[in-house]
Amino acid sequence: MRDTIARAAEQVAAVESPFEVHPLTVHIGAELRGVDLAEVSRSDELFGELRSLLLRYKVLFVRDQDISRAEHVALAERFGPLEDHPVAGSDPDHPGLVRLYKDLDGTRRGHRRQDVLGPSLLTGFTTRTN
């Protein structure tokens, strides 16, 4: 199995990409490195590459992003219209963005912020930031 994933990674490396792509399994999932999602939200070329990788791998993991709420929404809107969460609603300044606050013990108050963009019925695109 590891050999198959390594071969898949070599095939990806042969394809020129502005991002470093690390397949996680043979069929689904990849971690992207060297990605600035804030920049992707403003660049047609970078967004096209991200979208292509999402279609190929179905699930993408991008760590340690410094992205504002407005940039987060702008990126998600490139995939299609956003929808408000039916129960939680949306951030008043950024429609489509649900803001969750949790303590480290998992209760819904407190210090840890997580912004979530809900899936569009048309695209199924969902993102989270911690």
Side-chain angles (χ1 to χ4, degrees):
M1 178 73 160
R2 289 192 185 273
D3 290 339
T4 306
I5 293 172
R7 280 194 301 277
E10 289 172 7
Q11 290 173 348
V12 168
V15 176
E16 194 170 317
S17 173
F19 312 131
E20 199 177 312
V21 181
H22 298 270
L24 300 175
T25 71
V26 175
H27 301 289
I28 190 170
E31 180 179 350
L32 303 183
R33 298 178 190 160
V35 177
D36 178 353
L37 290 178
E39 181 64 28
V40 173
S41 75
R42 296 183 293 270
S43 167
D44 291 338
E45 180 182 336
L46 293 176
F47 174 75
E49 180 66 19
L50 181 75
R51 185 176 187 282
S52 175
L53 291 169
L54 180 61
L55 291 172
R56 179 175 182 174
Y57 292 103
K58 311 300 183 232
V59 179
L60 299 175
F61 298 92
V62 184
R63 301 177 189 272
D64 303 323
Q65 294 296 300
D66 183 18
I67 185 170
S68 71
R69 289 186 180 119
E71 290 165 331
H72 196 167
V73 169
L75 174 62
E77 286 177 331
R78 286 177 159 264
F79 288 96
L82 300 180
E83 300 170 3
D84 287 339
H85 189 279
V87 176
S90 287
D91 180 284
D93 297 325
H94 304 95
L97 179 70
V98 178
R99 293 170 55 194
L100 304 176
Y101 293 87
K102 294 184 179 183
D103 280 338
L104 295 178
D105 67 359
T107 57
R108 230 193 131 166
R109 57 183 145 71
H111 315 335
R112 187 170 162 228
R113 189 195 92 206
Q114 186 174 68
D115 294 337
V116 179
L117 282 167
S120 162
L121 290 176
L122 298 174
T123 64
F125 176 74
T126 303
T127 61
R128 285 181 9 173
T129 62
N130 289 339

